[in-house]
């Protein structure tokens, strides 16, 4: 499949926040509550279209457990984008964000685009972290923020695509040297071929504020 | 075609699937021999090549494709395990076609009535005493037998046509392993290659004219180089279109486990072949062989032949074994002619080999084991590692020359039953299990038991009993009564441990963050463990077996509070609970396993790092070029093998095969670190793709991840065993003491050899 660019993403965050479910919802359009827990890393991929250009997202879904951190760190290498995920119903997953961010800052490319994701916003009745807190943390750390639900698919599409749009913007602005693969971007052979791929057309790039509920 | 070469076909998955399916052919060769007999006996499907020594069986276009057909037969094809003629094993080489698939077998001749213990190699008079024993011969016979290796499993065939002496071929498998050289005492290498070429894609390597790449269609340039080769080949017996057909899955699991002697009896029943001098033999071809292309191995062999030419005539009959005497003695004359040639040529040819290779018996030297230090042409041909070819030759020759005494020789203590295509014996059943016990229930010979399990595994009905021994929960020298007592008292102990956390009141839990966190983590993970299996199926925690998983894991995190719970543990427990079907017993077996594997889960990952380091050293030892490649792409941390090691390949195989693998690993028969040799075997199997596609960390990790579910267990075990035997002490030296799953001293009682 031809693409103009390939972006490497990495999904990080505590265990059980819904990283694999977000990936599955994005790549397969389904919510599967019963799936094997992730050991090491799993991969997913999907084509999207931005600015009429087919872009392939290669997504690394990592294991969340603390003791695997040393190996997870090796996955940051060459990632263009990261989804840093917490669970809005479990406060401790929000509390651990700083430590995840520190890892990301330390081991990833400094130009990596990081999207903060408060997942499971369908479980509003069990909310333990307010939207404002999420927004605040994102603002303080220069991240893009969104609340999502892998279960209802709310904002899932947007989370991945907005991240890609940010990365694409950085390419356009010349921040990335796309010939250097350590930025997590590969130039493909289908450059400009806007109709290629299984992308679902131009997705809305406007983030939806707030959350379902 | 070309199942083993993932690159040339559309998807990675289907390719690997086919390659692995084709790996399964090892065992039921015997079963197929019956079919072959039918084909061979059917006059309509046999075409005699007049005057030739090969019998070509053509496919009847209207015939049933399920039939097996022998498309090539060559007698007096020998393996020369030692330098001396005494150790030679003669046999019959066949190419067998089924559907679109081609298989090769090489079955050594049996002697008279075949019995398990009987001498199967005919040893000529005076030479007999130089052989250690007939058992050694039998062992060699079994060691070298090639039972139906699929062409899709082959990487390359190297043809050696020395100026005098016998032509021989070396077959390198996609795994990088190689069969020992097969010597064609009656000629026929050309016909052999021609026949293969009629049924598969055989490409002459651009780098070495004597190397034929099997199923290699990646390089059109190389393909074109095959033209004008093998002009004397028989007319193609298969329409070209069938070459496009994928390798069919031929064998079913249940076929495994038949007696290997079927093939031997088949041999005896088969009509006598008509061996004559091979008209296609062209001695001038030998003369034309360039010395620059003569490999180190060929040189050694040449040197061997010098030493042996004197007794060669004596040994002539030996190689024929009990084979039906050919109607004419032409083949004998042919051989004699070669010897005469050899004698004449000796002074001329001796110069070159003597320069470069001493004529002394090959020994496993440092250089030979460190391929990276030895940049001879064979190591760089990119058709697989050849050091193993030499290595096995060295290994077997030294083993034979050691008389199979009680030396610390891997072949002496661990008959490599899985090597070279010999099938796994049937699993250990309850009756056989009882034979390992004395009247009070002690395992009389734990080492023999472990070895038996290593080679064949165990039947499901005795698994729950035997795993307790393998895991170290039960001592081998315990009696029935002692075990009964232990189980009862351990059940009590388990209940106490479990009550420790089950009696935590809600008020207490509020003030017990560690407890809450652990329980929560376990609960989150058990509902994400093996839910596709009926035993654990369902949603949420509605399956009582999921509750058992939870209870055992939380209890374990209290039993070993310092370690706690870590992801991966539920993967390790799930098969154990499935086998034990008893909560307390599963708990103690799991706890015993964690005695070995706990370092995998240490927060600093020291156990994982030490294993990955050991793996790196093993690859350096067993596949220098691959090691160099990983070094070059900065992948020496071997993180791409992380999941394999962390949970003992749990995610790489179907559940049933995980169970089969684990009991092999836990038998600690050949090495307690056999899982690392599994890693090496898998990496070697895909080495060419890894290097050809220049995989780097990301692509490599993805590639390795996607092997999951596409790995053939038996062939990987076989490769790993061969590698482990080959590496021997040097392999063990790569693995520092204490590397998991090393047992603590206390736990190791009853395990030391």
């Amino acid at each position: 499949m031809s693409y103009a660019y390939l972006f490497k993403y990495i999904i990080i965050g505590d265990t059980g926040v819904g990283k694999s479910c977000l990936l599955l919802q994005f790549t397969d359009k389904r919510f599967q509550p019963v799936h094997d827990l992730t050991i090491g890393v799993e991969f997913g991929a999907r084509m999207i279209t931005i600015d009429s250009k087919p872009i392939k997202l290669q997504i690394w879904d990592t294991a969340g457990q603390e003791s695997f951190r040393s190996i997870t760190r090796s996955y940051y290498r060459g990632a263009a984008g990261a989804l840093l995920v917490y669970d809005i119903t479990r406060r401790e997953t929000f509390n651990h964000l700083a430590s995840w961010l520190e890892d990301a800052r330390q081991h990833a490319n400094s130009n990596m685009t990081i999207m903060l994701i408060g997942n499971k916003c369908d479980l509003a009745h069990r909310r333990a972290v307010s939207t404002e807190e999420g927004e605040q943390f994102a603002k303080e750390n220069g991240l893009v923020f969104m609340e999502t639900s892998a279960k209802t698919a709310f904002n899932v599409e947007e989370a991945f695509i907005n991240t890609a749009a940010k990365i694409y913007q950085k390419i356009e602005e010349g921040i990335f040297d796309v010939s250097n693969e350590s930025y997590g971007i590969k130039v493909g052979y289908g450059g400009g071929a806007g109709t290629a791929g299984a992308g679902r057309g131009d997705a809305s790039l406007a983030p939806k504020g707030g959350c379902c509920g | 075609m070309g199942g083993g070469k993932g690159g040339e076909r559309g998807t990675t998955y289907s390719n690997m699937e086919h390659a692995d399916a084709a790996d399964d052919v090892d065992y039921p060769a015997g079963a197929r021999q019956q079919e072959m007999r039918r084909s061979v006996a059917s006059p309509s499907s046999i075409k005699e090549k007049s005057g030739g020594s090969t019998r070509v069986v053509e496919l009847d276009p209207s015939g049933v494709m399920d039939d097996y057909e022998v498309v090539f037969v060559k007698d007096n094809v020998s393996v020369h395990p030692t330098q001396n003629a005494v150790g030679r094993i003669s046999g019959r080489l066949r190419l067998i076609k089924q559907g679109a698939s081609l298989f090769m077998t090489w079955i050594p001749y049996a002697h008279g009535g075949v019995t398990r213990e009987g001498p199967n190699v005919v040893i000529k008079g005076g030479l007999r005493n130089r052989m250690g024993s007939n058992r050694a011969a039998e062992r060699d016979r079994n060691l070298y037998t090639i039972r139906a290796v699929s062409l899709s499993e082959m990487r390359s065939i190297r043809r050696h046509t020395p100026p005098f002496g016998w032509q021989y071929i070396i077959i390198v498998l996609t795994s990088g392993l190689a069969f020992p050289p097969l010597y064609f005492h009656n000629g026929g290498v050309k016909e052999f290659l021609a026949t293969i070429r009629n049924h598969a894609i055989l490409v002459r390597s651009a780098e070495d004219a004597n190397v034929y790449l099997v199923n290699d269609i990646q390089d059109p340039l190389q393909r074109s180089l095959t033209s004008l080769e093998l002009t004397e080949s028989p007319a193609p017996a298969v329409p070209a279109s069938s070459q496009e057909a994928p390798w069919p899955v031929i064998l079913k699991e249940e076929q495994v486990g038949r007696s290997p002697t079927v093939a031997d009896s088949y041999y005896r029943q088969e009509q006598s072949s008509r061996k004559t001098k091979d008209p296609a033999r062209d001695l001038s071809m030998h003369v034309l062989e360039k010395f620059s292309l003569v490999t180190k191995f060929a040189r050694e062999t040449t040197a061997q032949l010098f030493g042996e030419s004197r007794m060669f005539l004596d040994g002539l009959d030996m190689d024929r074994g009990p084979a039906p005497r050919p109607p004419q003695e032409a083949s004998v004359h042919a051989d004699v002619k070669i010897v005469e040639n050899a004698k004449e040529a000796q002074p001329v040819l001796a110069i070159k080999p003597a320069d470069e290779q001493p004529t002394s018996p090959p020994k496993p030297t440092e250089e030979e084991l460190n391929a990276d230090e030895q940049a001879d042409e064979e190591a760089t041909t990119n058709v697989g590692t050849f050091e193993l070819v030499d290595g096995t030759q060295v290994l077997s020759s030294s083993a034979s020359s050691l008389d199979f005494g009680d030396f610390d020789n891997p072949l002496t203590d661990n008959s490599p039953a899985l090597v070279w295509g010999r099938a796994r014996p049937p699993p250990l059943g309850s009756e056989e299990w009882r034979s390992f016990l004395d009247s009070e229930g002690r395992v009389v010979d734990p080492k023999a038991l472990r070895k038996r399990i290593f080679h064949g595994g165990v039947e499901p009905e005795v698994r729950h009993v035997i795993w307790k021994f393998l895991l170290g929960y039960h001592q081998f020298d315990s009696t029935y009564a002692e075990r009964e007592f232990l189980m009862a008292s351990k059940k009590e102990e388990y209940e106490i441990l479990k009550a420790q956390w089950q009696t935590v009141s809600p008020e207490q839990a509020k003030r017990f963050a560690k407890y809450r966190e652990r329980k929560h983590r376990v609960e989150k993970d058990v509902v994400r463990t093996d839910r596709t299996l009926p035993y654990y199926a369902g949603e949420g925690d509605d399956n009582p077996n999921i509750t058992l998983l939870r209870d055992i894991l939380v209890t374990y995190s209290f039993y070993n509070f310092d370690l706690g719970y870590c992801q991966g543990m539920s993967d390790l427990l799930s098969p154990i609970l499935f086998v034990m079907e008893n909560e307390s017993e599963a708990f103690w077996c799991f706890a015993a396993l964690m005695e070995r594997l706990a370092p995998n889960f240490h927060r600093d990952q020291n156990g994982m790092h030490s294993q990955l380091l050991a793996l790196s050293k093993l690859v350096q030892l067993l596949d220098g070029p691959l090691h160099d490649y990983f070094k070059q792409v900065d992948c020496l941390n071997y993180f791409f093998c992380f999941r394999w090691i962390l949970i003992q390949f749990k995610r790489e195989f179907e559940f049933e095969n995980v169970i089969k693998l684990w009991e092999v690993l836990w038998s600690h028969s050949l090495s307690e670190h056999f899982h690392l040799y599994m890693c090496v075997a898998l990496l070697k199997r895909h080495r060419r793709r890894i290097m050809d596609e220049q995989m780097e960390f990301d692509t490599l990790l993805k590639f390795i991840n996607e092997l999951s579910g596409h790995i053939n267990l038996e062939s990987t075990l076989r490769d790993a065993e061969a590698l482990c035997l080959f590496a021997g002490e040097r392999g063990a030296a790569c693995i520092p003491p204490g590397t998991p799953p090393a047992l603590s001293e206390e736990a190791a009682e009853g395990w030391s050899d």
Side-chain angles (χ1 to χ4, degrees):
Chain A
M1 183 139 333
S2 64
Y3 52 81
Y5 295 108
L6 183 148
F7 297 164
K8 172 180 169 181
Y9 276 20
I10 177 168
I11 312 182
I12 51 175
D14 275 10
T15 176
V17 297
K19 296 182 293 296
S20 301
C21 288
L22 280 169
L23 174 61
L24 199 66
Q25 182 59 259
F26 178 64
T27 57
D28 288 30
K29 304 274 171 284
R30 62 194 169 99
F31 178 68
Q32 192 184 355
V34 175
H35 61 90
D36 284 354
L37 64 108
T38 308
I39 301 284
V41 65
E42 298 286 349
F43 294 88
R46 209 190 102 184
M47 296 290 288
I48 59 167
T49 308
I50 289 178
D51 196 17
S52 304
K53 291 204 167 54
I55 289 173
K56 182 174 179 177
L57 301 184
Q58 187 192 76
I59 304 151
W60 293 42
D61 170 28
T62 68
Q65 176 142 345
E66 179 72 24
S67 41
F68 298 148
R69 283 281 189 104
S70 67
I71 182 157
T72 308
R73 287 183 189 119
S74 70
Y75 304 147
Y76 287 104
R77 189 162 63 177
L83 301 189
L84 171 54
V85 188
Y86 67 95
D87 174 356
I88 64 152
T89 70
R90 279 161 59 215
R91 180 122 205 127
E92 69 270 20
T93 66
F94 180 75
N95 295 340
H96 293 155
L97 288 178
S99 132
W100 281 110
L101 202 54
E102 193 184 316
D103 259 14
R105 299 270 193 235
Q106 203 175 335
H107 298 280
N109 182 313
S110 58
N111 285 311
M112 181 171 77
T113 303
I114 304 175
M115 167 79 74
L116 180 66
I117 303 281
N119 192 33
K120 306 195 187 178
C121 70
D122 54 294
L123 301 174
H125 55 290
R126 279 164 49 189
R127 181 185 280 276
V129 184
S130 70
T131 307
E132 292 70 29
E133 285 174 290
E135 279 169 349
Q136 181 65 20
F137 183 89
K139 196 176 166 190
E140 282 167 9
N141 293 282
L143 316 173
V144 190
F145 174 65
M146 253 186 200
E147 287 192 345
T148 62
S149 165
K151 190 174 182 179
T152 67
F154 176 78
N155 265 351
V156 172
E157 199 72 9
E158 290 77 5
F160 284 89
I161 290 172
N162 286 8
T163 308
K166 285 266 173 203
I167 297 165
Y168 184 75
Q169 194 185 338
K170 287 182 184 175
I171 294 172
E172 297 282 277
E173 288 167 2
I175 293 171
F176 286 129
D177 171 11
V178 291
S179 65
N180 181 345
E181 285 188 5
S182 70
Y183 287 109
I185 297 161
K186 266 186 203 169
V187 180
Y189 299 102
T195 52
R200 307 199 322 151
D202 289 337
S204 161
L205 299 184
K208 292 170 191 157
C211 188
C212 55
Chain B
M1 161 152 329
K5 314 293 169 303
E8 64 263 34
R9 287 209 346 207
T11 64
T12 310
Y13 285 119
S14 56
N15 268 338
M16 286 185 295
E17 206 162 42
H18 289 132
D20 287 338
D23 288 340
D24 267 333
V25 300
D26 296 339
Y27 191 68
R32 271 207 312 282
Q33 305 274 7
Q34 306 281 359
E35 298 272 355
M36 278 158 33
R37 194 179 314 156
R38 236 190 298 140
S39 300
V40 169
S42 157
S44 65
S45 63
I46 297 174
K47 175 188 154 198
E48 293 289 342
K49 233 183 119 192
S50 59
S53 63
T54 53
R55 182 177 47 234
V56 177
V57 181
E58 285 194 341
L59 268 185
D60 179 357
S62 63
V64 185
M65 287 302 281
D66 283 334
D67 268 1
Y68 302 95
E69 300 197 62
V70 180
V71 293
F72 177 86
V73 181
K74 194 75 199 172
D75 276 299
N76 285 339
V77 174
S78 305
V79 167
H80 300 179
T82 70
Q83 284 203 90
N84 302 323
V86 287
R88 281 181 201 149
I89 308 162
S90 258
R92 172 171 295 181
L93 186 72
R94 288 186 192 83
L95 290 171
I96 298 155
K97 186 166 172 56
Q98 192 230 15
S101 301
L102 196 62
F103 299 92
M104 187 192 88
T105 66
W106 179 78
I107 310 291
Y109 297 138
H111 178 245
V114 181
T115 61
R116 267 177 180 266
E117 302 300 326
N120 290 308
V121 173
V122 178
I123 296 157
K124 191 75 176 169
L127 300 171
R128 186 186 293 272
N129 11 355
R130 296 179 56 177
M131 193 67 177
S133 67
N134 287 334
R135 283 205 57 179
E138 160 77 354
R139 207 181 312 228
D140 269 6
R141 257 177 49 81
N142 286 333
L143 173 63
Y144 291 110
T145 298
I146 300 169
R147 291 181 198 285
V149 57
S150 164
L151 237 72
S152 67
E153 229 182 319
M154 291 183 190
R155 171 74 192 94
S156 68
I157 301 170
R158 176 181 274 261
R159 181 188 68 174
H160 293 264
T161 48
F164 64 95
W166 305 291
Q167 307 171 10
Y168 63 95
I169 56 168
I170 295 174
I171 292 169
V172 180
L173 301 179
T174 51
S175 61
L177 292 170
F179 291 120
L182 294 169
Y183 290 82
F184 285 60
H185 286 227
N186 289 351
V189 170
K190 254 185 162 179
E191 289 75 9
F192 173 75
L193 292 170
T195 309
I196 288 182
R197 193 160 166 254
N198 285 339
H199 298 280
I201 294 172
L202 195 66
V203 178
R204 196 165 225 197
S205 165
E207 294 165 35
D208 184 335
N210 285 316
V211 173
Y212 295 83
L213 306 175
V214 184
N215 300 313
D216 187 303
I217 55 165
Q218 278 185 332
D219 187 345
L221 179 66
Q222 284 192 336
R223 269 188 92 171
S224 68
L225 291 170
T226 54
S227 57
L228 300 178
E229 290 301 317
L230 307 161
T231 47
E232 295 174 63
S233 62
V238 196
S241 62
S242 73
Q243 293 188 358
E244 309 298 323
W247 293 99
V249 178
I250 296 162
L251 301 166
K252 297 191 180 117
E253 291 253 35
E254 57 264 32
Q255 284 178 277
V256 173
R258 311 240 179 113
S259 161
T261 55
V262 175
D264 295 322
S265 54
Y266 160 67
Y267 167 73
R268 291 199 313 279
Q269 290 167 25
E270 206 186 20
Q271 56 179 299
S272 9
S273 59
R274 294 151 184 82
K275 280 174 291 181
T276 58
K277 180 182 180 298
D278 184 350
R281 168 178 295 183
D282 179 1
L283 285 173
S284 68
M285 191 173 82
H286 302 173
V287 181
L288 289 172
E289 166 120 88
K290 289 178 187 145
F291 273 109
S292 61
L293 291 178
V294 174
T295 64
K296 172 174 146 293
F297 188 79
R299 289 194 298 268
E300 277 175 9
T301 312
T302 313
Q304 272 173 235
L305 292 174
F306 288 132
E308 284 175 15
S309 55
R310 183 180 39 80
M311 56 177 162
F312 175 64
L313 284 167
D314 294 337
L316 206 57
D317 275 357
M318 177 200 80
D319 286 338
R320 191 151 299 113
R325 278 282 178 171
Q328 318 94 317
E329 293 298 300
S331 63
V332 177
H333 298 314
D335 285 338
V336 170
K337 188 174 164 193
I338 294 175
V339 173
E340 283 165 354
N341 267 355
K343 281 176 175 168
E344 285 163 20
Q346 187 170 347
V348 183
L349 292 168
I351 301 161
K352 191 77 180 187
D355 280 346
E356 297 182 23
Q357 280 298 317
T359 53
S360 58
K363 292 256 161 56
T365 63
E366 187 80 34
E367 289 75 29
E368 278 166 339
L369 287 163
N370 287 314
D372 53 336
E373 288 176 28
Q374 191 184 27
D376 73 31
E377 66 269 58
E378 295 198 326
T380 57
T381 51
N382 200 28
V383 291
T385 40
F386 280 81
E387 63 267 32
L388 268 175
V389 176
D390 292 338
T392 40
Q393 179 79 0
V394 166
L395 186 67
S396 50
S397 66
S398 59
S400 305
S401 61
L402 282 174
D403 248 15
F404 288 103
D406 289 319
F407 291 89
D408 184 21
N409 182 307
L411 281 178
T412 312
D413 288 326
N414 300 291
S415 144
L418 303 184
V419 184
W420 307 133
R422 183 171 150 185
R424 274 166 76 81
L428 175 76
S430 51
E431 198 173 318
E432 192 185 351
W433 160 240
R434 280 193 295 277
S435 75
F436 277 95
L437 304 174
D438 70 12
S439 59
E440 290 181 301
R442 295 182 196 86
V443 175
V444 180
D445 187 348
K447 200 173 149 190
L449 174 67
R450 284 160 41 203
K451 188 171 160 185
R452 173 71 180 85
I453 293 165
F454 176 77
H455 285 136
V458 300
E459 291 279 9
E461 78 263 17
V462 283
R463 206 164 253 152
H464 69 284
V465 177
I466 291 175
W467 275 25
K468 291 170 190 164
F469 291 90
L470 294 181
L471 287 166
Y473 170 45
H474 283 169
Q475 300 299 307
F476 286 114
D477 60 0
S478 62
T479 62
Y480 291 124
E482 284 164 347
R483 294 198 287 271
E484 283 300 314
F485 177 77
L486 180 82
M487 287 195 281
S489 65
K490 285 291 184 184
K491 186 172 189 316
E492 238 169 78
E493 193 182 338
Y494 174 73
E495 294 303 334
I496 292 166
L497 287 166
K498 188 176 165 186
Q500 286 176 5
W501 63 270
Q502 288 199 323
T503 54
V504 170
S505 68
E507 278 305 302
Q508 190 188 358
K510 266 187 202 168
R511 299 166 177 82
F512 197 172
K514 264 219 154 86
Y515 161 73
R516 289 198 312 270
E517 189 198 335
R518 278 185 187 184
K519 187 156 171 284
H520 176 77
R521 283 189 178 195
V522 170
E523 281 169 348
K524 268 207 118 45
D525 286 353
V526 292
V527 297
R528 301 191 281 171
T529 302
D530 290 328
R531 298 310 293 270
T532 52
L533 292 176
Y535 190 74
Y536 295 113
E539 282 205 16
D541 54 3
D542 59 358
N543 182 324
N545 294 325
I546 293 291
T547 310
L548 287 180
L549 281 180
R550 182 201 64 182
D551 289 355
I552 293 170
L553 287 170
V554 178
T555 305
Y556 183 77
S557 87
F558 270 69
Y559 174 71
N560 189 346
F561 201 83
D562 292 342
L563 183 64
Y565 168 76
C566 186
Q567 288 189 335
M569 287 183 180
S570 66
D571 276 282
L572 292 177
L573 174 61
S574 150
I576 292 176
L577 178 61
F578 172 82
V579 165
M580 294 300 152
E581 291 189 287
N582 173 304
E583 184 177 356
S584 151
E585 297 295 284
F587 172 84
W588 290 110
C589 283
F590 175 72
L593 178 64
M594 292 308 295
E595 287 301 302
R596 297 169 181 171
L597 296 183
N600 285 12
F601 301 101
H602 286 167
R603 182 163 283 232
D604 64 3
Q605 295 280 289
N606 60 2
M608 287 305 297
H609 286 298
S610 62
Q611 286 169 91
L612 292 169
L613 182 67
L615 173 59
S616 161
K617 288 184 174 172
L618 280 177
V619 172
Q620 187 172 12
L621 173 74
L622 294 164
D623 195 339
L626 187 62
H627 171 86
D628 292 345
Y629 176 77
F630 286 147
K631 190 175 178 183
Q632 182 197 321
V633 294
D634 199 15
C635 284
L636 282 184
N637 61 23
Y638 282 80
F639 278 177
F640 48 87
C641 298
F642 180 84
R643 190 173 72 189
W644 289 359
I645 291 174
L646 183 82
I647 47 175
Q648 305 219 301
F649 296 95
K650 165 67 164 50
R651 296 287 182 94
E652 318 311 319
F653 295 99
E654 294 297 310
F655 197 76
E656 176 70 8
N657 276 343
V658 168
I659 286 172
K660 285 182 185 170
L661 168 65
W662 282 6
E663 58 202 15
V664 171
L665 296 181
W666 297 344
S667 72
H668 289 200
S669 181
L670 213 49
S671 162
E672 63 183 2
H673 298 102
F674 193 72
H675 68 300
L676 297 179
Y677 292 95
M678 285 279 292
C679 297
V680 181
L682 283 169
L683 293 173
K684 276 184 87 67
R685 177 159 289 230
H686 299 285
R687 67 191 301 283
R688 182 165 157 264
R689 232 189 121 187
I690 290 169
M691 293 194 281
D692 282 1
E693 295 180 17
Q694 304 200 311
M695 295 186 192
E696 295 187 354
F697 184 75
D698 285 16
T699 39
L700 188 56
L701 188 65
K702 192 161 183 289
F703 174 73
I704 297 284
N705 246 38
E706 287 168 359
L707 288 178
S708 172
H710 303 277
I711 302 170
N712 180 277
L713 178 62
E714 296 212 355
S715 63
T716 310
L717 283 174
R718 195 177 61 215
D719 289 357
E721 182 183 6
L723 288 164
C724 188
L725 282 168
F726 172 67
E729 290 296 311
R730 284 163 195 277
C734 291
I735 306 165
T739 301
L743 293 165
S744 64
E745 268 180 42
E746 186 192 357
E749 271 176 41
W751 286 82
S752 54
D753 287 336

